[in-house]
Amino acid sequence: MSTIDQSKIRNFCIVAHIDHGKSTLADRIIEKTGLLTSREMQDQILDNMDLERERGITIKAQTVRTVYKAQDGNEYILNLIDTPGHVDFNYEVSRALAACDGAILVVDAAQGIEAQTLANVYLALDHDLDVFPVINKIDLPSARPDWVKNEIEDVIGIEAQDAPLISAKNGVGIEDVLEAIIAKIPAPKGSAGNPLQALIFDSVYDSYKGVIVFCRIMEGRVSKGTKIKMMATGASADVVEVGYFGAGQFIPCEELSAGMVGYLTASIKNVKDTAVGDTVTDAENPCAEPLPGYKKVLSMVYCGLYPADGAKYPDLRDALEKLQLNDASLFYEPETSIALGFGFRCGFLGLLHLEIIQERLEREYNLDLVTTAPGVVYKVYKTNGDVVELTNPSNLPDPSEIDYMEEPIVTAEIMVTTEFIGSIMELCQERRGRYLGMEYVEETRALLRYELPLNEIIYDFFDALKSRSRGYASFDYDIKGYEQSELVKLDILINKEEVDALSFIVHKQSAYDRGRRMCEKLKDEIPRHLFEIPIQAAVGGKVIARETVKAMRKDVLAKCYGGDITRKKKLLEKQKEGKKRMRQVGNVEIPQKAFMSVLKLDDSK
Amino acid sequence: MRSMGVYIHIPFCVRKCVYCDFLSGPATRQRQQAYLEALLREIVWESGHYTDYIVKTIFIGGGTPSILEAEEIAKILDCLRAHYQIDADVEITLEMNPGTADQEKLLKLKRAGINRLSIGLQSADNDELKLLGRIHTYEDFLRTYYQAREDGVSNINIDLISALPGQHLDRWVRTLEKVVALQPEHISAYSLIIEEGTQLHDNRDAWAPVPEEEEDRLMYQETKRILADHGYRRYEISNYAKPGYECRHNRIYWQRGVWHTADFVGFGLGANSTVGDRRWENTKNMERYLSVFQERNVGLYDSRLAENRSVGESVKEDAIRLFDMEQMAEFMFLGLRMMEGVSKREFTASFEEDMDEIYGDALQKWIQMGLMAQDGDTVMLTDAGIDVSNTVLSSFV
């Protein structure tokens, strides 16, 4: 194989706010460069999980190599690295960006800059990428490209006057984008003669090949037989195959060298050995330094996952094991709940990640799940000097042993039209937000900056934000760190028995309100029994709220004549069937739904 | 020789009541006559199956069977006598509504063999009767009742419904007191169930709200107390009788063990049957019912032709075989509707299984909660258990 001329390679990604057309543009680039005919194209090739298509977001980074014959007569290799589009996956995004030399910024011609536009573009600039803007959806009647151009220049400060005006949906202006990639994104640097230094930006598990490592070769070369070493995890292996990315397929090649993006396999059994951000080097001729920026991925949000049918516990374990093969950021360990039986405490990058895993378990593995309230990781400083990282409220040490507690705080940026500033500020205030400042992006839009406790935004903050801004606000956040906070454990007692699966950690100030709303909600969800059931919320053994499910006084089929026994029986069977879907806590049968209903306590009531 | 009960369904009435979800409606005389014809053919046609059975009870229900002529009712009973063995002590019940029979008709019915009347009164309050869409007043009822007594009918049931829209306890008690003063042998008193497909259900806003659960329950307790004071014993969740006057036919539905007559055969539209481990239901489609028996143009009293079972289609639908577990469940949840409860020995005799082994957990739980009680070999619902009997009984299905 002839050596590839580095100057004819472009490694880039596309950054955008959700729904501004990132994936559609990616599809058009692939189509235009002839990798697939439009007939073969299934819309949005890169989002290949059903879930991604449905939600219109990219969950896992995807990469594709195409060849483009430019107007200068030369053929260029374009490596498009499509990055996940959600704050939960910010670290993955940052590693994917590190694998690129430039980025296309897609901005909606009607909506202009949004919170994620800013967050993503700053992330790209932080990685020293050359960014050029593209204005999409110019076919919309409400498109105002000139105004958007000015906004990009004013707010982000990058040149936008010659930004291609395109409609990815209709395939308009794609050629301009391709030419701009050649002109504005720099060719990779690095020398094939140096020791191997490659950045892992993703990996997938294949049952035949083992882990397939996606990497960008910064320096050196790698081919079949190279003995490689992962510098952070220390794992080493012999390369079995190297290659590059076709559309939805892996195409083997002889060698990957500096500047190229591709994959390698080395009979690696576990994605944990190929951590995103780690540096691959030649074990026999290692590079001096690993690439900067490696971080161990930490779970930010935890919750309990239980099979609705206790007998499905082994199935749930198998399913989690399989998902983890492809998702090193998914954490799980067995736990037992008095109310819910055997299950797992699972850790996620964020709430979206949690929802995705939950949906995949339900869809792909056909499991019916009961989820406990998601919580964040609290730091409990004990009086004896120990620090406990608390992921399950049930494990909170006795209050007498606790010196103080800390909770994670985020810095949030909320983009909102001016008319809703008041209601959004109110929302942030309610969620214990600390106001940092506000900038007017233009006359009618502002960027609000707040510090917010993570546990206040993981439930329904996004929903509340949308409903209080009629859908106009957009939101992004970064983890800032831990801060001391007055936290208490709120317990729910049903018929005087504590239901461990319903306990959660909450700020002292919100405890009363949350407890009251939990009790109200549970009262509606728990069916009447043969006896009265008190539902109580308690903090430190002191009851702070109470509701009562009244006893059922009458449940009798008075009339039973005519020998139509089948119908009577069906009635009783229905009643019994309903019970099967309940969880028994003491004498009380609690519907599975009740455990889930308390996750969303409507705020705007 | 085995025993069985026979149910005859007459799906006609003068007018549909607002709470009624039974298979019944007004019809022309011609339609009624065509139906009667088909019914008689069915009775003959089926008789070959039951040559080794003796009929202990006959129940002619509806609808309002009493809107047929007395001669027509007599024809049905004659047909049964001609093709089935009838016990000398047979109980023959006719359901009737006040105002559908005069003294002469009642006498004819008695002569035809009817020895038990079940009169649908529902309420002794004329406003309530009107609200329910009944065709009669309380005075109409009294006339029918006294006429039947004069004709020597010595076993009468009166049907009552409590918890009517807008009803309160005192109003219900007045109905009860009027009725017990008449001293019928049997009283059925059930609280209103608003069934789907009834006028009461589909047009709920047109009526006052039904009593709250608490009041409904008080009505039940008062019913039991008042009736007990007047010599009636509650023997089933909604049925009360003077000693010896419990409805033998209904017992067949509820008592499914080998010590009792458990088989029943229903003739007519939509009638249900259970014989041994077989259960079926006749079609509810009138056209179909009529056409099947029109095709079977057999001589009415020629039972030899009826033996030829391969002829024509059947009106039987949804035929199933009951598995042992289902039979056990029915033994329990139907038998426990009877205040006398169910016998563990009869359970063993019927299924060769130990009741405690199969239902021990549930029994223990309910007994502990005071919803069931045990007396020697039998277990039964307590008064508290009756109020929430669906919850208790559903643990046995």
Side-chain angles (χ1 to χ4, degrees):
Chain A
M1 184 184 170
S2 60
T3 22
I4 289 161
D5 178 0
Q6 241 184 31
S7 69
K8 301 288 186 295
I9 298 177
R10 296 291 181 274
N11 299 319
F12 67 99
C13 59
I14 308 173
V15 295
H17 184 72
I18 186 166
D19 277 346
H20 281 195
K22 186 176 81 159
S23 298
T24 316
L25 176 59
D27 290 348
R28 291 294 160 270
I29 290 174
I30 294 165
E31 193 185 295
K32 195 83 185 171
T33 52
L35 201 61
L36 292 171
T37 66
S38 56
R39 249 193 78 213
E40 289 169 322
M41 287 280 300
Q42 191 179 2
D43 260 359
Q44 302 190 355
I45 281 292
L46 294 183
D47 288 348
N48 56 17
M49 268 193 262
D50 281 352
L51 260 173
E52 293 181 316
R53 285 211 192 93
E54 272 174 34
R55 292 188 172 218
I57 49 167
T58 308
I59 296 163
K60 219 163 156 48
Q62 300 287 335
T63 303
V64 69
R65 172 171 123 154
T66 70
V67 176
Y68 172 61
K69 194 163 167 42
Q71 281 163 13
D72 66 8
N74 293 317
E75 281 194 345
Y76 289 85
I77 290 171
L78 306 183
N79 286 308
L80 166 58
I81 299 171
D82 192 24
T83 58
H86 191 272
V87 57
D88 279 7
F89 306 103
N90 262 354
Y91 177 64
E92 278 79 354
V93 175
S94 83
R95 293 306 86 204
L97 294 177
C100 299
D101 302 300
I104 305 173
L105 169 67
V106 180
V107 183
D108 185 306
Q111 291 182 357
I113 291 171
E114 294 285 350
Q116 283 176 353
T117 312
L118 282 180
N120 289 329
V121 84
Y122 289 143
L123 205 56
L125 294 171
D126 283 351
H127 286 84
D128 291 328
L129 300 189
D130 285 343
V131 179
F132 75 87
V134 160
I135 300 180
N136 191 20
K137 304 197 190 180
I138 52 156
D139 55 311
L140 291 179
S142 54
R144 33 182 192 167
D146 290 331
W147 173 81
V148 173
K149 280 181 188 173
N150 289 333
E151 192 187 42
I152 293 170
E153 293 192 337
D154 291 350
V155 178
I156 305 172
I158 58 173
E159 164 69 34
Q161 290 314 315
D162 58 350
L165 303 181
I166 68 163
S167 163
K169 196 177 88 184
N170 300 328
V172 175
I174 307 304
E175 189 89 18
D176 297 345
V177 177
L178 289 164
E179 285 300 320
I181 292 169
I182 306 303
K184 297 192 172 176
I185 289 174
K189 299 184 191 74
S191 160
N194 287 340
L196 175 64
Q197 193 184 35
L199 172 70
I200 301 178
F201 62 88
D202 199 4
S203 59
V204 297
Y205 183 79
D206 179 279
S207 43
Y208 299 107
K209 295 179 174 175
V211 177
I212 300 174
V213 181
F214 293 21
C215 54
R216 155 77 193 267
I217 313 297
M218 296 297 184
E219 301 284 347
R221 48 166 43 105
V222 59
S223 58
K224 185 179 171 181
T226 309
K227 193 172 174 59
I228 53 165
K229 188 180 170 205
M230 322 295 160
M231 295 182 80
T233 65
S236 61
D238 293 324
V239 172
V240 175
E241 183 183 309
V242 298
Y244 56 86
F245 307 103
Q249 55 184 327
F250 297 105
I251 300 168
C253 65
E254 292 283 312
E255 179 189 85
L256 294 175
S257 60
M260 293 173 74
V261 170
Y263 71 89
L264 60 85
T265 69
S267 301
I268 301 162
K269 289 280 167 288
N270 198 326
V271 283
K272 281 185 175 160
D273 290 332
T274 58
V276 168
D278 199 354
T279 304
V280 182
T281 191
D282 189 329
E284 276 146 18
N285 180 22
C287 57
E289 292 275 326
L291 293 158
Y294 172 76
K295 269 201 303 194
K296 209 169 166 239
V297 179
L298 294 175
S299 300
M300 297 308 301
V301 175
Y302 282 80
C303 79
L305 287 183
Y306 291 83
D309 172 2
K312 292 275 170 77
Y313 173 77
D315 297 7
L316 176 57
R317 188 188 52 215
D318 290 352
L320 284 168
E321 225 166 71
K322 282 189 186 130
L323 285 180
Q324 204 186 40
L325 281 176
N326 257 327
D327 186 351
S329 53
L330 169 65
F331 165 87
Y332 67 93
E333 67 183 9
E335 75 171 3
T336 321
S337 150
I338 299 159
L340 299 174
F342 291 105
F344 295 92
R345 174 91 351 203
C346 300
F348 307 93
L349 297 171
L351 204 61
L352 178 77
H353 189 212
L354 181 159
E355 282 174 21
I356 289 163
I357 296 292
Q358 192 187 329
E359 276 198 52
R360 291 189 66 186
L361 287 169
E362 287 182 345
R363 280 194 208 182
E364 294 167 30
Y365 297 91
N366 244 332
L367 291 162
D368 222 348
L369 298 175
V370 181
T371 317
T372 66
V376 301
V377 186
Y378 298 96
K379 286 188 179 164
V380 183
Y381 290 80
K382 293 172 71 174
T383 44
N384 65 3
D386 290 352
V387 183
V388 178
E389 297 216 336
L390 188 74
T391 58
N392 181 349
S394 306
N395 299 338
L396 186 73
D398 189 84
S400 64
E401 294 172 24
I402 299 172
D403 186 7
Y404 65 94
M405 286 171 73
E406 285 184 351
E407 66 177 329
I409 304 289
V410 304
T411 5
E413 294 193 331
I414 301 163
M415 181 85 83
V416 65
T417 46
T418 41
E419 58 196 300
F420 299 113
I421 289 177
S423 62
I424 298 301
M425 286 179 82
E426 212 172 282
L427 171 68
C428 292
Q429 227 64 47
E430 285 165 19
R431 300 302 180 98
R432 297 191 283 129
R434 192 184 301 141
Y435 176 73
L436 295 180
M438 178 169 68
E439 289 159 33
Y440 278 86
V441 176
E442 52 181 300
E443 230 167 87
T444 56
R445 285 202 309 167
L447 185 72
L448 282 165
R449 283 186 296 113
Y450 267 92
E451 275 181 11
L452 285 155
L454 182 61
N455 85 349
E456 295 285 348
I457 60 174
I458 59 169
Y459 294 97
D460 49 0
F461 184 76
F462 197 65
D463 293 342
L465 196 68
K466 287 284 176 194
S467 75
R468 291 197 195 188
S469 66
R470 289 200 214 118
Y472 284 119
S474 60
F475 166 64
D476 202 25
Y477 67 86
D478 256 329
I479 301 291
K480 180 183 168 250
Y482 275 78
E483 275 182 24
Q484 190 171 336
S485 179
E486 294 252 23
L487 298 164
V488 292
K489 180 168 144 236
L490 185 70
D491 293 317
I492 299 293
L493 289 82
I494 292 180
N495 205 22
K496 313 273 182 192
E497 282 201 49
E498 193 182 310
V499 182
D500 57 357
L502 290 172
S503 295
F504 59 99
I505 306 280
V506 63
H507 190 265
K508 207 171 166 184
Q509 276 174 12
S510 336
Y512 170 73
D513 187 50
R514 282 288 274 282
R516 188 178 52 77
R517 281 190 287 147
M518 288 270 286
C519 291
E520 277 170 10
K521 193 90 176 192
L522 286 168
K523 185 194 171 188
D524 293 340
E525 293 292 338
I526 295 175
R528 294 201 295 165
H529 280 54
L530 298 175
F531 43 87
E532 191 175 280
I533 305 166
I535 298 172
Q536 297 161 304
V539 170
K542 187 170 162 269
V543 174
I544 57 167
R546 178 189 162 125
E547 292 282 341
T548 306
V549 179
K550 284 202 341 202
M552 176 167 61
R553 308 307 294 271
K554 182 203 159 201
D555 177 26
V556 52
L557 191 63
K559 188 170 58 164
C560 184
Y561 295 139
D564 188 2
I565 295 162
T566 312
R567 196 166 135 196
K568 306 329 184 234
K569 197 158 71 182
K570 274 188 187 143
L571 221 115
L572 296 177
E573 273 166 358
K574 211 171 135 193
Q575 191 152 356
K576 189 173 182 175
E577 211 35 56
K579 284 209 163 136
K580 274 195 193 151
R581 270 166 298 190
M582 307 241 196
R583 293 286 177 161
Q584 183 101 22
V585 175
N587 275 332
V588 182
E589 274 146 353
I590 306 175
Q592 316 261 25
K593 229 175 85 205
F595 291 95
M596 318 282 271
S597 71
V598 296
L599 305 188
K600 295 218 167 162
L601 300 168
D602 187 13
D603 256 318
S604 44
K605 247 206 295 207
Chain B
M1 184 66 59
R2 298 167 70 182
S3 304
M4 70 180 212
V6 169
Y7 176 78
I8 307 279
H9 190 64
I10 306 297
F12 305 120
C13 52
V14 177
R15 188 170 85 200
K16 191 94 175 154
C17 299
V18 297
Y19 59 87
C20 173
D21 75 325
F22 283 113
L23 187 58
S24 172
T28 61
R29 274 301 293 157
Q30 275 158 314
R31 173 51 66 101
Q32 292 178 15
Q33 282 159 354
Y35 179 77
L36 186 68
E37 184 110 327
L39 178 69
L40 294 173
R41 286 181 185 172
E42 187 193 6
I43 292 171
V44 177
W45 186 264
E46 289 295 323
S47 62
H49 291 294
Y50 307 106
T51 50
D52 57 344
Y53 277 83
I54 184 159
V55 176
K56 295 275 198 182
T57 66
I58 298 169
F59 195 104
I60 305 175
T64 306
S66 55
I67 68 170
L68 294 183
E69 298 297 331
E71 288 75 12
E72 291 170 323
I73 302 283
K75 231 175 180 175
I76 296 170
L77 294 174
D78 286 344
C79 181
L80 281 165
R81 287 193 193 94
H83 296 274
Y84 295 78
Q85 298 186 61
I86 313 286
D87 190 41
D89 189 30
V90 65
E91 173 195 272
I92 306 179
T93 305
L94 178 76
E95 280 190 324
M96 68 176 303
N97 271 340
T100 55
D102 56 17
Q103 186 138 22
E104 195 192 336
K105 186 170 173 180
L106 285 163
L107 195 61
K108 282 183 188 164
L109 289 169
K110 185 169 180 265
R111 285 186 184 141
I114 302 294
N115 55 26
R116 185 172 182 272
L117 279 182
S118 176
I119 307 176
L121 171 60
Q122 319 310 1
S123 167
D125 182 317
N126 282 336
D127 291 338
E128 287 179 352
L129 288 173
K130 204 169 161 193
L131 174 137
L132 292 175
R134 300 293 292 176
I135 56 166
H136 58 86
T137 61
Y138 180 58
E139 291 69 32
D140 292 334
F141 159 78
L142 283 178
R143 206 170 306 122
T144 302
Y145 182 81
Y146 287 130
Q147 285 168 350
R149 284 300 198 207
E150 278 172 35
D151 285 341
V153 179
S154 60
N155 188 355
I156 296 181
N157 165 56
I158 295 174
D159 270 344
L160 297 174
I161 307 178
S162 66
L164 299 175
Q167 196 178 50
H168 291 290
L169 179 63
D170 49 349
R171 210 161 166 186
W172 168 242
V173 167
R174 280 203 295 278
T175 283
L176 275 179
E177 280 168 348
K178 282 185 188 171
V179 169
V180 290
L182 298 173
Q183 288 292 300
E185 285 68 32
H186 189 287
I187 295 172
S188 289
Y190 65 88
S191 83
L192 180 71
I193 302 171
I194 298 177
E195 303 277 5
E196 272 177 46
T198 62
Q199 292 176 54
L200 209 48
H201 179 275
D202 296 345
N203 200 6
R204 203 172 290 182
D205 295 342
W207 282 273
V210 295
E212 295 282 323
E213 215 169 69
E214 286 297 310
E215 181 135 31
D216 182 309
R217 195 161 164 268
L218 273 178
M219 287 181 181
Y220 246 79
Q221 286 165 352
E222 276 300 287
T223 307
K224 191 188 170 195
R225 191 187 62 75
I226 292 170
L227 295 186
D229 285 352
H230 289 81
Y232 297 90
R233 198 180 68 90
R234 178 193 243 180
Y235 71 99
E236 193 263 356
I237 289 179
S238 310
N239 284 283
Y240 301 80
K242 292 192 166 179
Y245 285 96
E246 292 88 1
C247 176
R248 279 152 53 195
H249 184 80
N250 276 336
R251 286 186 90 117
I252 298 175
Y253 298 139
W254 298 321
Q255 293 180 312
R256 313 275 325 136
V258 288
W259 294 355
H260 298 86
T261 305
D263 292 335
F264 57 91
V265 177
F267 297 123
L269 197 67
N272 292 277
S273 303
T274 300
V275 177
D277 61 358
R278 312 284 296 176
R279 170 169 297 154
W280 66 91
E281 185 182 276
N282 279 358
T283 178
K284 287 180 170 157
N285 180 329
M286 178 64 95
E287 301 311 320
R288 183 171 157 71
Y289 181 80
L290 293 180
S291 73
V292 165
F293 287 105
Q294 258 154 23
E295 278 160 28
R296 277 178 206 167
N297 199 5
V298 290
L300 259 189
Y301 297 100
D302 187 350
S303 60
R304 278 170 305 151
L305 268 172
E307 287 292 333
N308 184 0
R309 232 159 291 291
S310 61
V311 177
E313 295 172 88
S314 174
V315 294
K316 296 177 183 175
E317 289 174 357
D318 298 327
I320 53 160
R321 202 178 78 78
L322 296 168
F323 297 111
D324 289 353
M325 274 313 286
E326 292 178 289
Q327 301 211 45
M328 287 184 227
E330 289 184 5
F331 177 96
M332 298 300 288
F333 84 76
L334 290 167
L336 284 169
R337 294 187 65 89
M338 306 285 293
M339 299 306 104
E340 64 186 75
V342 291
S343 150
K344 291 183 179 177
R345 278 192 300 129
E346 185 180 6
F347 189 88
T348 309
S350 305
F351 310 108
E352 292 173 351
E353 294 278 0
D354 185 346
M355 187 191 287
D356 282 316
E357 243 166 63
I358 294 181
Y359 298 117
D361 289 351
L363 289 174
Q364 212 178 349
K365 174 173 153 195
W366 302 128
I367 289 170
Q368 221 161 39
M369 290 176 74
L371 300 178
M372 283 182 74
Q374 178 153 2
D375 181 9
D377 163 58
T378 56
V379 285
M380 64 218 76
L381 291 178
T382 60
D383 281 358
I386 290 168
D387 287 336
V388 291
S389 54
N390 281 357
T391 308
V392 176
L393 298 181
S394 69
S395 62
F396 299 106
V397 299

